[in-house]
């Protein structure tokens, strides 16, 4: 009975035939210094001693050996506070200027992958997860905290503060549901995020830890050929965990909304 009532409620709430969630940021397949998203002085005050960076990423091969989808810089002399490269051809991935080098995880072209980068001061340990599984960990300097006043850029790497971009380092592809949290997620929490799927919402018990959510990035300053593209996530994902899974998959396949 509960599932039938929920079905009736959803049909009344969204009465037309097709509706999509999941707007993505799409970076042009043609590498350029002009294509990036920038946030000046994001509020990272809660992330000074712990953080998690999680996102769904679908990189495209634009010919570059490096493709930086995430770069946080705090000064001209410290341009690699956090730098994340997605390209299978590259191996530059830093925290506090310390590069993982050849140990850095990479993501497959043209495939959605889930990525999480976690750290906290108490353990002085960075852990990176790909598709719910830990793939690398590395100790950081004892006592080193995250500098919390800086510039965050998606799609490029800053060689100078808020600039110094290089077309050979441009990211091409799609980003979705990037979220920054002020806590270090456990392996179990990361695995749960991945297993819920790309279209799932963040669990309510993590909402209070959000430093920046996906809407912050969708409404941030976009430059060049970076567009917000309509997503492919069904509105039925909002009731995942309430409806029976078999019924939910049937509704997603046959009863979408617009």
């Amino acid at each position: 009975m509960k599932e039938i009532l929920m079905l009736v409620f959803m049909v009344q709430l969204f009465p037309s035939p097709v509706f999509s969630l999941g707007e993505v940021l799409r970076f042009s397949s043609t590498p350029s210094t002009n294509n990036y998203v920038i946030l000046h002085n994001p509020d990272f005050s809660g992330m000074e001693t712990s953080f998690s960076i999680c996102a769904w990423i679908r990189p495209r091969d634009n010919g570059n050996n490096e493709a930086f989808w995430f770069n946080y810089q705090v000064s001209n002399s410290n341009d690699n506070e956090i730098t994340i490269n997605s390209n299978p051809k590259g191996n530059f991935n830093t925290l506090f200027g310390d590069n993982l080098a050849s140990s850095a995880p990479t993501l497959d072209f043209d495939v959605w992958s889930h990525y999480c980068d976690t750290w906290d001061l108490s353990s002085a340990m960075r852990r990176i997860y790909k598709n719910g599984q830990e793939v690398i960990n590395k100790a950081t300097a004892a006592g080193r905290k995250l500098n919390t006043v800086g510039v965050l850029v998606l799609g490029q790497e800053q060689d100078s503060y808020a600039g110094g971009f290089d077309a050979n380092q441009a990211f091409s592809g799609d980003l979705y549901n990037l979220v920054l949290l002020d806590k270090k997620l456990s392996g179990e929490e990361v695995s749960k995020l991945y297993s819920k799927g790309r279209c799932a919402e963040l669990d309510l018990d993590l909402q209070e830890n959000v430093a920046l959510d996906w809407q912050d990035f969708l409404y941030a300053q976009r430059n060049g050929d970076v567009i917000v593209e309509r997503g492919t996530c069904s509105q039925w994902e909002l009731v995942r965990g309430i409806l029976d899974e078999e019924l939910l998959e049937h509704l997603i396949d046959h009863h979408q909304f617009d």
Side-chain angles (χ1 to χ4, degrees):
M1 177 60 71
K2 177 180 69 174
E3 293 168 353
I4 295 174
L5 290 174
M6 180 59 69
L7 176 58
V8 171
F9 169 74
M10 292 295 288
V11 170
Q12 289 177 340
L13 186 60
F14 306 108
S16 43
V18 180
F19 181 79
S20 292
L21 292 173
E23 290 178 316
V24 304
L25 281 174
R26 178 157 296 165
F27 294 75
S28 173
S29 59
T30 302
S32 168
T33 58
N34 297 322
N35 304 335
Y36 60 95
V37 175
I38 188 166
L39 293 86
H40 295 273
N41 298 317
D43 184 4
F44 284 179
S45 57
M47 296 170 52
E48 185 179 31
T49 59
S50 61
F51 67 76
S52 296
I53 302 166
C54 297
W56 287 90
I57 309 161
R58 181 168 58 182
R60 307 289 190 190
D61 188 357
N62 61 15
N64 287 346
N65 287 331
E66 294 177 333
F68 296 102
W69 65 270
F70 189 103
N71 177 239
Y72 177 57
Q73 176 171 333
V74 296
S75 69
N76 281 327
S77 61
N78 185 356
D79 61 351
N80 294 308
E81 188 77 354
I82 308 175
T83 301
I84 308 175
N85 169 44
S86 68
N87 201 323
K89 302 175 186 177
N91 56 14
F92 195 77
N93 191 315
T94 71
L95 175 61
F96 308 150
D98 185 15
N99 187 17
L100 291 174
S102 59
S103 300
T106 58
L107 305 177
D108 297 328
F109 289 130
D110 303 314
V111 175
W112 281 110
S113 297
H114 188 249
Y115 178 98
C116 275
D117 201 326
T118 72
W119 167 86
D120 67 5
L121 178 66
S122 62
S123 68
M125 183 69 68
R126 180 189 190 188
R127 298 183 185 276
I128 297 179
Y129 302 80
K130 176 182 175 182
N131 293 337
Q133 299 294 318
E134 184 177 331
V135 292
I136 183 71
N137 62 71
K138 189 174 184 179
T140 58
R144 175 62 154 91
K145 298 180 180 180
L146 180 71
N147 289 309
T148 59
V149 178
V151 175
L152 173 58
V153 169
L154 306 181
Q156 267 288 350
E157 195 263 340
Q158 305 168 72
D159 287 329
S160 61
Y161 195 67
F165 301 140
D166 184 341
N168 294 317
Q169 297 178 331
F171 171 77
S172 293
D174 299 334
L175 295 181
Y176 178 60
N177 227 1
L178 170 60
V179 61
L180 276 62
L181 306 171
D182 64 8
K183 67 169 289 186
K184 181 181 182 180
L185 295 179
S186 67
E188 182 180 355
E189 288 172 317
V190 173
S191 179
K192 184 178 179 181
L193 276 181
Y194 168 68
S195 64
K196 289 179 65 176
R198 180 171 58 88
C199 296
E201 294 293 316
L202 192 68
D203 282 353
L204 290 177
D205 59 353
L206 294 178
Q207 293 288 346
E208 64 181 17
N209 298 110
V210 173
L212 290 176
D213 67 14
W214 186 227
Q215 294 298 313
D216 292 316
F217 295 103
L218 290 177
Y219 290 104
Q221 178 185 333
R222 298 195 307 275
N223 300 272
D225 191 2
V226 182
I227 63 173
V228 176
E229 185 77 8
R230 183 173 180 177
T232 58
C233 296
S234 169
Q235 188 73 41
W236 290 114
E237 294 291 344
L238 294 174
V239 291
R240 185 175 292 278
I242 298 175
L243 297 183
D244 174 77
E245 283 294 314
E246 185 175 347
L247 172 59
L248 182 59
E249 294 304 324
H250 173 82
L251 293 171
I252 290 172
D253 290 340
H254 301 288
H255 299 280
Q256 293 182 333
F257 297 98
D258 194 18

